[in-house]
């Protein structure tokens, strides 16, 4: 066998292997996502996928369009191509009442001239309509509805949806057909996405950045996701899709029901909520059943769809200009309820912000009992002119917290009480303040207002700060109510005896229920140990943990690097702080204010004496490269703060002198250095380094 044959053989083998892996992995994908019955481990699956990825990279010419590697995304679409639909994508007529639905049934009966027909009822999924074109059983194109006649080609994005088969399972199928359905983001996935935004916003707040807005609802998010250019992000969003229509030129199926069976067998995700109904009364039963039960589903629904089952009867009925005559939708009522406003209470956040909360007569709304709704701030109460005892409208959109959307002033009783907004903090009785131009009231008592203190300690012990894992919010609350701690420093004065077998009561915020709790010996040990361990946490994280407004993780790192010790940071002026690379006015102001507060200084002294680290540790890579050398630093630098540069010299064992003499080895010269210094250095024959030569010197050693 000569070299070329060997090469061809390897190539042929690779082709076969790629084909085999593609089929196998697609099958496992189906078993995992559709059947929930995996037959191999995730680990084995990943290994096979990696093998396929490797082969496809080596032999891109053999990569199949239905390769499971397309699921992870990576393809970037700059402009979505417009494609004309083979069959127009129509919408459905809407009905809102049972009378209208009875009229629809009458029209069907009249149109067909018989009462021998049946319906298939389905849920109306609230997502984004999609049309999938299959050629020889392989997904060829995925197109949005667009204007109904033409839509956008979003194939790369749709291929990342795990439950959409890239190649169908069944053997006998028409060469070309189309499948239509609804892409959606499962409710859980949607809340997860918003949770991530909330976490990111905490970080942004700490860094003085404007918060990102939460995603409004699952449908808009789905629509936005499908139009993203980077399919890898689409893949990470974990969209799903229910299919509900089949179309071809051959009239392959006699009924809609048969076509749904075909879709199921072919590996499509068909919601198992559809039902065959013989009469309009059975349709009403279906509506009543799902109006309640739909809240248990993973997908948002906003109504039901009623379709004539027989395809030939569908053709007989035909279409109007916009809608099919053989189908209609029935919309569920908007998810709102009427209830009584019993009271308004006020919550204090960790920053001291006050939020008014509506305490409602419990009412069933969108499948859950609602007792409270947010009223945002004093302006909102004024805008609604809502009074205690009023009958109010509560609505729940895609959002988690219900809203009061209106007041029924007609039914207002004479006893309804006007709301007098609180002027004192409900937790600590301090007079509230409201800054110019801000809607929110604040409690200024940072030191002793319980929710603020609790919030600060929670932040201090969190993972990115002191990482005291064995302590949770409930235990901290217990310590606070027992008077064991008042601030961060007190944590380090706790002894095993203080907390072992500590009994305290926990009050549930909403129900007011009281639970007795006690700290067992083992957890007492763990708590003391993890507090002790936290003393080793490096300075930058301690600084972050202090919770100085706008000092997030990265800002804390920058400040620590620049000032090296807390003492230098605390005596730094506003000007010195804004001079640090990427530190703005807001942060500098906040840092200065923090260290001007004697309470904070006392607390820091407490943490210091407990042994926490308030100085940047000598980093690895520091050394004695500049040992025995004396430097003079002058002027301003682009990539270093001046102090930062001095610290680097010191970290390398060099000495800093303020004036040039015969003992000076180097003059590090920035912008704006005075000419006298240069002259003196020249006359003494001292090497002058600009910023980049200084860096070189540093890196060479
Ligand atoms: S059948 C000829 N079935 O509602 C119309 N549509 O206005 C074929 N939808 O564009 C549509 N769930 O986006 C049908 N089970 C279902 C549906 C459904 C949601 C959406 C779809 C369609 C719109 C109708």
């Amino acid at each position: 066998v000569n070299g070329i044959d060997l090469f061809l053989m390897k190539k042929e083998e690779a082709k076969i292997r790629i084909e085999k892996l593609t089929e196998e992995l697609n099958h496992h994908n189906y078993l995992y996502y559709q059947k929930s019955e995996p037959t191999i481990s995730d680990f084995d699956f990943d290994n096979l996928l990696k093998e396929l990825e490797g082969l496809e990279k080596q032999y891109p010419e053999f990569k199949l369009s239905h390769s499971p590697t397309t699921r992870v995304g990576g393809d970037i679409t700059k402009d979505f191509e417009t494609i004309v639909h083979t069959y127009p994508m129509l919408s459905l007529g809407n009905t809102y009442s049972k009378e209208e639905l009875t009229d629809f049934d009458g029209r069907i009966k009249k149109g067909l001239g018989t009462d021998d027909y049946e319906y298939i009822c389905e849920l109306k999924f609230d997502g984004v309509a999609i049309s999938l074109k299959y050629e020889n059983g392989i997904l060829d194109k995925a197109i949005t509805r667009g204007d109904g006649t033409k839509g956008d080609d979003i194939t790369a994005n749709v291929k990342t949806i795990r439950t959409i088969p890239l190649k169908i399972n069944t053997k006998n199928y028409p060469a070309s057909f189309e499948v239509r359905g609804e892409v959606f983001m499962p409710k859980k996935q949607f809340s997860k996405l918003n949770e991530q935004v909330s976490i990111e916003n905490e970080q942004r707040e700490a860094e003085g950045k404007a918060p990102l807005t939460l995603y409004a609802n699952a449908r808009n998010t789905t629509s936005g996701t499908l139009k993203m250019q980077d399919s890898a992000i689409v893949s990470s969003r974990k969209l799903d899709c229910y299919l509900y229509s089949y179309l071809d030129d051959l009239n392959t199926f006699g009924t809609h029901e048969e076509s749904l069976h075909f879709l199921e067998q072919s590996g499509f995700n068909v919601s198992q909520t559809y039902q065959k109904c013989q009469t309009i009364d059975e349709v009403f039963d279906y509506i009543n059943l799902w109006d309640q039960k739909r809240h248990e589903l993973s997908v948002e629904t906003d109504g039901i769809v009623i379709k004539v089952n027989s395809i030939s009867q569908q053709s007989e009925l035909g279409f109007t200009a916009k809608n099919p005559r053989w189908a209609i939708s029935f919309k569920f009522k908007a998810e709102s309820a009427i209830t009584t406003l019993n009271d308004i209470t006020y919550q204090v956040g960790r920053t001291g912000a006050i939020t008014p909360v509506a305490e409602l007569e419990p009412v069933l709304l969108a499948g859950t009992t609602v007792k409270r709704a947010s009223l945002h701030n004093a302006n909102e109460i004024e805008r609604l002119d809502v009074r205690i005892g009023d009958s109010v409208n509560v609505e729940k959109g895609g959002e988690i917290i219900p809203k009061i959307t209106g007041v029924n002033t007609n039914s207002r009783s004479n006893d309804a009480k006007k709301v007098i907004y609180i002027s004192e903090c409900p937790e600590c009785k301090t007079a509230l303040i409201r800054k110019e131009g801000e809607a929110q009231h604040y409690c200024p008592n940072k030191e002793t207002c319980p929710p603020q203190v609790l919030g600060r300690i929670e932040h201090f012990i969190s993972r990115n700060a002191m990482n005291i894992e064995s302590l949770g919010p409930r235990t901290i609350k217990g310590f606070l109510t027992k008077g064991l701690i008042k601030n961060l420093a007190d944590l380090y004065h706790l002894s095993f005896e203080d907390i072992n077998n500590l009994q305290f009561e926990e009050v549930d915020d909403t129900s007011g229920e009281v639970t007795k709790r006690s700290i067992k010996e083992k957890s007492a040990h763990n708590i003391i140990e993890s507090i002790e361990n936290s003393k080793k946490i490096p300075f930058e994280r301690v600084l972050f943990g202090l919770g100085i407004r706008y000092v997030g993780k990265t800002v804390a790192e920058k400040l620590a690097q620049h000032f090296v010790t807390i003492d230098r940071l605390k005596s730094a002026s506003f000007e010195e702080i804004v001079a640090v690379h990427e530190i703005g006015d807001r942060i500098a102001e906040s840092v200065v204010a923090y260290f001007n507060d004697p309470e904070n200084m006392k607390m820091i002294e407490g943490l210091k004496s407990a042994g926490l680290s308030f100085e940047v540790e000598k980093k690895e890579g520091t050394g004695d490269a500049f040992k025995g050398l004396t430097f003079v630093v002058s002027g301003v630098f682009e990539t270093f703060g001046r102090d930062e540069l001095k610290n680097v010299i010191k970290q390398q064992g060099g000495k800093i002198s303020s004036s040039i003499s015969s003992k000076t080895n180097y003059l590090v010269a920035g912008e704006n250095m005075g000419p006298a210094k240069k002259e003196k250095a020249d006359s003494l024959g001292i090497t002058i380094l600009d910023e980049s030569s200084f860096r070189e010197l540093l890196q060479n050693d």
Side-chain angles (χ1 to χ4, degrees), residues 89-94 122-130 145 181-182 244-245 305 307 319 324 326-327:
M89 280 182 90
L90 300 176
S91 61
L92 294 168
N94 289 324
E122 293 167 9
L123 288 172
K124 190 166 186 298
F125 308 108
D126 197 11
V128 176
I130 190 82
R145 185 224 288 254
E182 204 81 356
Y244 47 64
S245 292
V305 181
K307 302 174 179 173
F319 297 86
W326 46 265

PDB file of all heavy atoms in Angstrom, residues 89-94 122-130 145 181-182 244-245 305 307 319 324 326-327, ligand 1:
ATOM      1  N   MET A  89     -48.115  32.118   6.179  1.00  0.00           N
ATOM      2  CA  MET A  89     -48.335  31.863   7.610  1.00  0.00           C
ATOM      3  C   MET A  89     -49.457  32.778   8.089  1.00  0.00           C
ATOM      4  O   MET A  89     -49.252  33.956   8.324  1.00  0.00           O
ATOM      5  CB  MET A  89     -47.060  32.127   8.403  1.00  0.00           C
ATOM      6  CG  MET A  89     -46.076  30.973   8.311  1.00  0.00           C
ATOM      7  SD  MET A  89     -44.597  31.241   9.294  1.00  0.00           S
ATOM      8  CE  MET A  89     -45.059  30.526  10.864  1.00  0.00           C
ATOM      9  N   LEU A  90     -50.640  32.201   8.206  1.00  0.00           N
ATOM     10  CA  LEU A  90     -51.811  32.998   8.582  1.00  0.00           C
ATOM     11  C   LEU A  90     -51.957  33.067  10.099  1.00  0.00           C
ATOM     12  O   LEU A  90     -51.316  32.323  10.824  1.00  0.00           O
ATOM     13  CB  LEU A  90     -53.070  32.365   7.977  1.00  0.00           C
ATOM     14  CG  LEU A  90     -53.074  32.262   6.458  1.00  0.00           C
ATOM     15  CD1 LEU A  90     -54.335  31.538   6.000  1.00  0.00           C
ATOM     16  CD2 LEU A  90     -53.000  33.649   5.831  1.00  0.00           C
ATOM     17  N   SER A  91     -52.802  33.991  10.512  1.00  0.00           N
ATOM     18  CA  SER A  91     -53.102  34.015  11.944  1.00  0.00           C
ATOM     19  C   SER A  91     -54.525  33.533  12.146  1.00  0.00           C
ATOM     20  O   SER A  91     -55.258  33.288  11.184  1.00  0.00           O
ATOM     21  CB  SER A  91     -52.911  35.416  12.503  1.00  0.00           C
ATOM     22  OG  SER A  91     -53.800  36.281  11.848  1.00  0.00           O
ATOM     23  N   LEU A  92     -54.904  33.391  13.402  1.00  0.00           N
ATOM     24  CA  LEU A  92     -56.225  32.857  13.724  1.00  0.00           C
ATOM     25  C   LEU A  92     -57.163  33.974  14.142  1.00  0.00           C
ATOM     26  O   LEU A  92     -56.733  34.967  14.721  1.00  0.00           O
ATOM     27  CB  LEU A  92     -56.108  31.867  14.886  1.00  0.00           C
ATOM     28  CG  LEU A  92     -55.330  30.582  14.628  1.00  0.00           C
ATOM     29  CD1 LEU A  92     -55.069  29.876  15.946  1.00  0.00           C
ATOM     30  CD2 LEU A  92     -56.096  29.681  13.677  1.00  0.00           C
ATOM     31  N   GLY A  93     -58.448  33.796  13.861  1.00  0.00           N
ATOM     32  CA  GLY A  93     -59.428  34.713  14.421  1.00  0.00           C
ATOM     33  C   GLY A  93     -59.515  34.483  15.918  1.00  0.00           C
ATOM     34  O   GLY A  93     -59.303  33.361  16.394  1.00  0.00           O
ATOM     35  N   ASN A  94     -59.796  35.542  16.661  1.00  0.00           N
ATOM     36  CA  ASN A  94     -59.877  35.417  18.119  1.00  0.00           C
ATOM     37  C   ASN A  94     -61.310  35.464  18.606  1.00  0.00           C
ATOM     38  O   ASN A  94     -62.128  36.204  18.063  1.00  0.00           O
ATOM     39  CB  ASN A  94     -59.141  36.583  18.791  1.00  0.00           C
ATOM     40  CG  ASN A  94     -57.648  36.456  18.614  1.00  0.00           C
ATOM     41  OD1 ASN A  94     -57.106  35.350  18.627  1.00  0.00           O
ATOM     42  ND2 ASN A  94     -56.973  37.579  18.445  1.00  0.00           N
ATOM     43  N   GLU A 122     -56.364  22.430  21.110  1.00  0.00           N
ATOM     44  CA  GLU A 122     -54.966  22.527  21.559  1.00  0.00           C
ATOM     45  C   GLU A 122     -54.817  23.769  22.414  1.00  0.00           C
ATOM     46  O   GLU A 122     -55.639  24.676  22.332  1.00  0.00           O
ATOM     47  CB  GLU A 122     -54.026  22.659  20.346  1.00  0.00           C
ATOM     48  CG  GLU A 122     -53.988  21.428  19.480  1.00  0.00           C
ATOM     49  CD  GLU A 122     -53.310  21.693  18.133  1.00  0.00           C
ATOM     50  OE1 GLU A 122     -52.722  22.784  17.961  1.00  0.00           O
ATOM     51  OE2 GLU A 122     -53.401  20.820  17.271  1.00  0.00           O
ATOM     52  N   LEU A 123     -53.740  23.828  23.146  1.00  0.00           N
ATOM     53  CA  LEU A 123     -53.449  25.058  23.884  1.00  0.00           C
ATOM     54  C   LEU A 123     -52.818  26.051  22.936  1.00  0.00           C
ATOM     55  O   LEU A 123     -52.154  25.670  21.966  1.00  0.00           O
ATOM     56  CB  LEU A 123     -52.509  24.764  25.057  1.00  0.00           C
ATOM     57  CG  LEU A 123     -53.188  24.015  26.201  1.00  0.00           C
ATOM     58  CD1 LEU A 123     -52.155  23.589  27.232  1.00  0.00           C
ATOM     59  CD2 LEU A 123     -54.269  24.875  26.845  1.00  0.00           C
ATOM     60  N   LYS A 124     -53.047  27.311  23.209  1.00  0.00           N
ATOM     61  CA  LYS A 124     -52.402  28.353  22.412  1.00  0.00           C
ATOM     62  C   LYS A 124     -51.154  28.789  23.174  1.00  0.00           C
ATOM     63  O   LYS A 124     -51.241  29.443  24.213  1.00  0.00           O
ATOM     64  CB  LYS A 124     -53.361  29.533  22.216  1.00  0.00           C
ATOM     65  CG  LYS A 124     -52.866  30.544  21.209  1.00  0.00           C
ATOM     66  CD  LYS A 124     -53.996  31.483  20.805  1.00  0.00           C
ATOM     67  CE  LYS A 124     -53.575  32.405  19.688  1.00  0.00           C
ATOM     68  NZ  LYS A 124     -52.462  33.282  20.052  1.00  0.00           N
ATOM     69  N   PHE A 125     -50.008  28.374  22.659  1.00  0.00           N
ATOM     70  CA  PHE A 125     -48.736  28.641  23.346  1.00  0.00           C
ATOM     71  C   PHE A 125     -48.286  30.061  23.044  1.00  0.00           C
ATOM     72  O   PHE A 125     -48.358  30.513  21.902  1.00  0.00           O
ATOM     73  CB  PHE A 125     -47.681  27.633  22.888  1.00  0.00           C
ATOM     74  CG  PHE A 125     -48.162  26.224  23.023  1.00  0.00           C
ATOM     75  CD1 PHE A 125     -48.482  25.460  21.908  1.00  0.00           C
ATOM     76  CD2 PHE A 125     -48.342  25.660  24.274  1.00  0.00           C
ATOM     77  CE1 PHE A 125     -48.964  24.171  22.030  1.00  0.00           C
ATOM     78  CE2 PHE A 125     -48.823  24.369  24.412  1.00  0.00           C
ATOM     79  CZ  PHE A 125     -49.138  23.622  23.283  1.00  0.00           C
ATOM     80  N   ASP A 126     -47.838  30.737  24.084  1.00  0.00           N
ATOM     81  CA  ASP A 126     -47.480  32.143  23.914  1.00  0.00           C
ATOM     82  C   ASP A 126     -45.979  32.268  23.678  1.00  0.00           C
ATOM     83  O   ASP A 126     -45.195  32.475  24.589  1.00  0.00           O
ATOM     84  CB  ASP A 126     -47.895  32.928  25.161  1.00  0.00           C
ATOM     85  CG  ASP A 126     -47.937  34.411  24.892  1.00  0.00           C
ATOM     86  OD1 ASP A 126     -47.844  34.798  23.710  1.00  0.00           O
ATOM     87  OD2 ASP A 126     -48.059  35.178  25.858  1.00  0.00           O
ATOM     88  N   GLY A 127     -45.621  32.112  22.400  1.00  0.00           N
ATOM     89  CA  GLY A 127     -44.199  32.201  22.061  1.00  0.00           C
ATOM     90  C   GLY A 127     -44.045  32.876  20.722  1.00  0.00           C
ATOM     91  O   GLY A 127     -44.729  33.848  20.431  1.00  0.00           O
ATOM     92  N   VAL A 128     -43.149  32.329  19.901  1.00  0.00           N
ATOM     93  CA  VAL A 128     -42.880  32.919  18.595  1.00  0.00           C
ATOM     94  C   VAL A 128     -43.097  31.849  17.531  1.00  0.00           C
ATOM     95  O   VAL A 128     -42.530  30.757  17.623  1.00  0.00           O
ATOM     96  CB  VAL A 128     -41.425  33.433  18.531  1.00  0.00           C
ATOM     97  CG1 VAL A 128     -41.094  33.964  17.154  1.00  0.00           C
ATOM     98  CG2 VAL A 128     -41.195  34.496  19.596  1.00  0.00           C
ATOM     99  N   ALA A 129     -43.942  32.162  16.524  1.00  0.00           N
ATOM    100  CA  ALA A 129     -44.254  31.170  15.499  1.00  0.00           C
ATOM    101  C   ALA A 129     -43.031  30.904  14.621  1.00  0.00           C
ATOM    102  O   ALA A 129     -42.263  31.815  14.312  1.00  0.00           O
ATOM    103  CB  ALA A 129     -45.403  31.672  14.638  1.00  0.00           C
ATOM    104  N   ILE A 130     -42.887  29.621  14.232  1.00  0.00           N
ATOM    105  CA  ILE A 130     -41.741  29.253  13.404  1.00  0.00           C
ATOM    106  C   ILE A 130     -42.187  28.258  12.344  1.00  0.00           C
ATOM    107  O   ILE A 130     -43.097  27.472  12.575  1.00  0.00           O
ATOM    108  CB  ILE A 130     -40.611  28.643  14.281  1.00  0.00           C
ATOM    109  CG1 ILE A 130     -39.324  28.463  13.503  1.00  0.00           C
ATOM    110  CG2 ILE A 130     -41.031  27.303  14.870  1.00  0.00           C
ATOM    111  CD1 ILE A 130     -38.520  29.700  13.394  1.00  0.00           C
ATOM    112  N   ARG A 145     -42.240  34.059  11.086  1.00  0.00           N
ATOM    113  CA  ARG A 145     -43.473  34.370  10.394  1.00  0.00           C
ATOM    114  C   ARG A 145     -43.333  35.626   9.517  1.00  0.00           C
ATOM    115  O   ARG A 145     -43.859  35.694   8.417  1.00  0.00           O
ATOM    116  CB  ARG A 145     -44.610  34.570  11.392  1.00  0.00           C
ATOM    117  CG  ARG A 145     -45.919  34.776  10.657  1.00  0.00           C
ATOM    118  CD  ARG A 145     -46.753  35.890  11.238  1.00  0.00           C
ATOM    119  NE  ARG A 145     -47.316  35.491  12.493  1.00  0.00           N
ATOM    120  CZ  ARG A 145     -48.598  35.180  12.645  1.00  0.00           C
ATOM    121  NH1 ARG A 145     -49.397  35.154  11.598  1.00  0.00           N
ATOM    122  NH2 ARG A 145     -49.066  34.892  13.820  1.00  0.00           N
ATOM    123  N   GLY A 181     -44.784  25.554  14.400  1.00  0.00           N
ATOM    124  CA  GLY A 181     -44.976  25.480  15.847  1.00  0.00           C
ATOM    125  C   GLY A 181     -44.556  26.756  16.517  1.00  0.00           C
ATOM    126  O   GLY A 181     -44.385  27.790  15.867  1.00  0.00           O
ATOM    127  N   GLU A 182     -44.411  26.656  17.811  1.00  0.00           N
ATOM    128  CA  GLU A 182     -44.159  27.832  18.626  1.00  0.00           C
ATOM    129  C   GLU A 182     -42.873  27.644  19.424  1.00  0.00           C
ATOM    130  O   GLU A 182     -42.745  26.684  20.183  1.00  0.00           O
ATOM    131  CB  GLU A 182     -45.352  27.996  19.580  1.00  0.00           C
ATOM    132  CG  GLU A 182     -45.579  29.368  20.072  1.00  0.00           C
ATOM    133  CD  GLU A 182     -46.341  30.249  19.073  1.00  0.00           C
ATOM    134  OE1 GLU A 182     -46.637  29.790  17.949  1.00  0.00           O
ATOM    135  OE2 GLU A 182     -46.623  31.394  19.433  1.00  0.00           O
ATOM    136  N   TYR A 244     -47.296  22.136  16.034  1.00  0.00           N
ATOM    137  CA  TYR A 244     -48.743  21.906  15.989  1.00  0.00           C
ATOM    138  C   TYR A 244     -49.340  21.886  14.585  1.00  0.00           C
ATOM    139  O   TYR A 244     -50.557  21.815  14.437  1.00  0.00           O
ATOM    140  CB  TYR A 244     -49.477  22.926  16.859  1.00  0.00           C
ATOM    141  CG  TYR A 244     -49.026  24.361  16.658  1.00  0.00           C
ATOM    142  CD1 TYR A 244     -49.205  25.006  15.446  1.00  0.00           C
ATOM    143  CD2 TYR A 244     -48.411  25.051  17.693  1.00  0.00           C
ATOM    144  CE1 TYR A 244     -48.788  26.307  15.262  1.00  0.00           C
ATOM    145  CE2 TYR A 244     -47.989  26.362  17.521  1.00  0.00           C
ATOM    146  CZ  TYR A 244     -48.174  26.989  16.296  1.00  0.00           C
ATOM    147  OH  TYR A 244     -47.756  28.273  16.117  1.00  0.00           O
ATOM    148  N   SER A 245     -48.507  22.011  13.537  1.00  0.00           N
ATOM    149  CA  SER A 245     -49.067  21.950  12.179  1.00  0.00           C
ATOM    150  C   SER A 245     -48.126  21.211  11.245  1.00  0.00           C
ATOM    151  O   SER A 245     -46.905  21.329  11.377  1.00  0.00           O
ATOM    152  CB  SER A 245     -49.261  23.349  11.586  1.00  0.00           C
ATOM    153  OG  SER A 245     -50.243  24.049  12.246  1.00  0.00           O
ATOM    154  N   VAL A 305     -56.778  26.708  20.970  1.00  0.00           N
ATOM    155  CA  VAL A 305     -57.028  26.756  19.531  1.00  0.00           C
ATOM    156  C   VAL A 305     -57.934  25.584  19.197  1.00  0.00           C
ATOM    157  O   VAL A 305     -57.697  24.458  19.646  1.00  0.00           O
ATOM    158  CB  VAL A 305     -55.713  26.660  18.736  1.00  0.00           C
ATOM    159  CG1 VAL A 305     -55.986  26.727  17.237  1.00  0.00           C
ATOM    160  CG2 VAL A 305     -54.753  27.773  19.147  1.00  0.00           C
ATOM    161  N   LYS A 307     -59.528  23.362  16.126  1.00  0.00           N
ATOM    162  CA  LYS A 307     -59.308  23.084  14.704  1.00  0.00           C
ATOM    163  C   LYS A 307     -60.236  21.956  14.253  1.00  0.00           C
ATOM    164  O   LYS A 307     -60.385  20.965  14.971  1.00  0.00           O
ATOM    165  CB  LYS A 307     -57.855  22.632  14.467  1.00  0.00           C
ATOM    166  CG  LYS A 307     -56.826  23.636  14.924  1.00  0.00           C
ATOM    167  CD  LYS A 307     -55.398  23.097  14.803  1.00  0.00           C
ATOM    168  CE  LYS A 307     -54.410  24.172  15.256  1.00  0.00           C
ATOM    169  NZ  LYS A 307     -53.023  23.675  15.315  1.00  0.00           N
ATOM    170  N   PHE A 319     -60.442  29.530   3.478  1.00  0.00           N
ATOM    171  CA  PHE A 319     -59.868  30.651   4.217  1.00  0.00           C
ATOM    172  C   PHE A 319     -60.606  31.941   3.929  1.00  0.00           C
ATOM    173  O   PHE A 319     -61.163  32.110   2.841  1.00  0.00           O
ATOM    174  CB  PHE A 319     -58.409  30.863   3.781  1.00  0.00           C
ATOM    175  CG  PHE A 319     -57.528  29.685   4.085  1.00  0.00           C
ATOM    176  CD1 PHE A 319     -57.434  28.616   3.191  1.00  0.00           C
ATOM    177  CD2 PHE A 319     -56.780  29.650   5.250  1.00  0.00           C
ATOM    178  CE1 PHE A 319     -56.624  27.530   3.465  1.00  0.00           C
ATOM    179  CE2 PHE A 319     -55.968  28.562   5.524  1.00  0.00           C
ATOM    180  CZ  PHE A 319     -55.882  27.502   4.640  1.00  0.00           C
ATOM    181  N   PRO A 324     -57.924  31.081   8.559  1.00  0.00           N
ATOM    182  CA  PRO A 324     -58.642  29.881   8.129  1.00  0.00           C
ATOM    183  C   PRO A 324     -60.060  29.907   8.696  1.00  0.00           C
ATOM    184  O   PRO A 324     -60.271  30.427   9.786  1.00  0.00           O
ATOM    185  CB  PRO A 324     -57.819  28.743   8.748  1.00  0.00           C
ATOM    186  CG  PRO A 324     -57.094  29.342   9.898  1.00  0.00           C
ATOM    187  CD  PRO A 324     -56.876  30.785   9.562  1.00  0.00           C
ATOM    188  N   TRP A 326     -61.611  27.159   9.275  1.00  0.00           N
ATOM    189  CA  TRP A 326     -61.759  25.888   9.998  1.00  0.00           C
ATOM    190  C   TRP A 326     -61.109  25.886  11.387  1.00  0.00           C
ATOM    191  O   TRP A 326     -61.051  24.862  12.062  1.00  0.00           O
ATOM    192  CB  TRP A 326     -61.184  24.746   9.158  1.00  0.00           C
ATOM    193  CG  TRP A 326     -59.832  25.054   8.548  1.00  0.00           C
ATOM    194  CD1 TRP A 326     -59.607  25.531   7.296  1.00  0.00           C
ATOM    195  CD2 TRP A 326     -58.558  24.919   9.174  1.00  0.00           C
ATOM    196  NE1 TRP A 326     -58.271  25.709   7.084  1.00  0.00           N
ATOM    197  CE2 TRP A 326     -57.590  25.324   8.224  1.00  0.00           C
ATOM    198  CE3 TRP A 326     -58.116  24.459  10.414  1.00  0.00           C
ATOM    199  CZ2 TRP A 326     -56.224  25.321   8.480  1.00  0.00           C
ATOM    200  CZ3 TRP A 326     -56.755  24.444  10.678  1.00  0.00           C
ATOM    201  CH2 TRP A 326     -55.830  24.890   9.725  1.00  0.00           C
ATOM    202  N   ALA A 327     -60.573  27.034  11.783  1.00  0.00           N
ATOM    203  CA  ALA A 327     -59.933  27.101  13.105  1.00  0.00           C
ATOM    204  C   ALA A 327     -60.160  28.469  13.723  1.00  0.00           C
ATOM    205  O   ALA A 327     -60.404  29.454  13.022  1.00  0.00           O
ATOM    206  CB  ALA A 327     -58.441  26.824  12.982  1.00  0.00           C
TER     207      ALA A 327
HETATM  208  S1  LIG B   1     -52.429  26.882  14.469  1.00  0.00           S
HETATM  209  C1  LIG B   1     -53.586  28.941  10.259  1.00  0.00           C
HETATM  210  N1  LIG B   1     -52.020  26.092  16.912  1.00  0.00           N
HETATM  211  O1  LIG B   1     -51.125  31.568  17.432  1.00  0.00           O
HETATM  212  C2  LIG B   1     -53.133  29.208  11.649  1.00  0.00           C
HETATM  213  N2  LIG B   1     -51.351  28.299  16.356  1.00  0.00           N
HETATM  214  O2  LIG B   1     -52.834  33.689  15.558  1.00  0.00           O
HETATM  215  C3  LIG B   1     -52.325  28.092  12.188  1.00  0.00           C
HETATM  216  N3  LIG B   1     -50.270  29.504  18.206  1.00  0.00           N
HETATM  217  O3  LIG B   1     -49.406  32.234  14.469  1.00  0.00           O
HETATM  218  C4  LIG B   1     -51.956  28.301  13.587  1.00  0.00           C
HETATM  219  N4  LIG B   1     -50.410  27.891  19.680  1.00  0.00           N
HETATM  220  O4  LIG B   1     -48.069  31.604  16.545  1.00  0.00           O
HETATM  221  C5  LIG B   1     -51.904  27.108  16.056  1.00  0.00           C
HETATM  222  N5  LIG B   1     -51.684  25.182  19.034  1.00  0.00           N
HETATM  223  C6  LIG B   1     -51.561  26.210  18.173  1.00  0.00           C
HETATM  224  C7  LIG B   1     -50.971  27.432  18.538  1.00  0.00           C
HETATM  225  C8  LIG B   1     -50.881  28.467  17.605  1.00  0.00           C
HETATM  226  C9  LIG B   1     -49.982  29.111  19.459  1.00  0.00           C
HETATM  227  C10 LIG B   1     -49.954  30.858  17.663  1.00  0.00           C
HETATM  228  C11 LIG B   1     -49.225  30.821  16.356  1.00  0.00           C
HETATM  229  C12 LIG B   1     -50.112  31.466  15.373  1.00  0.00           C
HETATM  230  C13 LIG B   1     -51.027  32.282  16.237  1.00  0.00           C
HETATM  231  C14 LIG B   1     -52.405  32.394  15.615  1.00  0.00           C
END
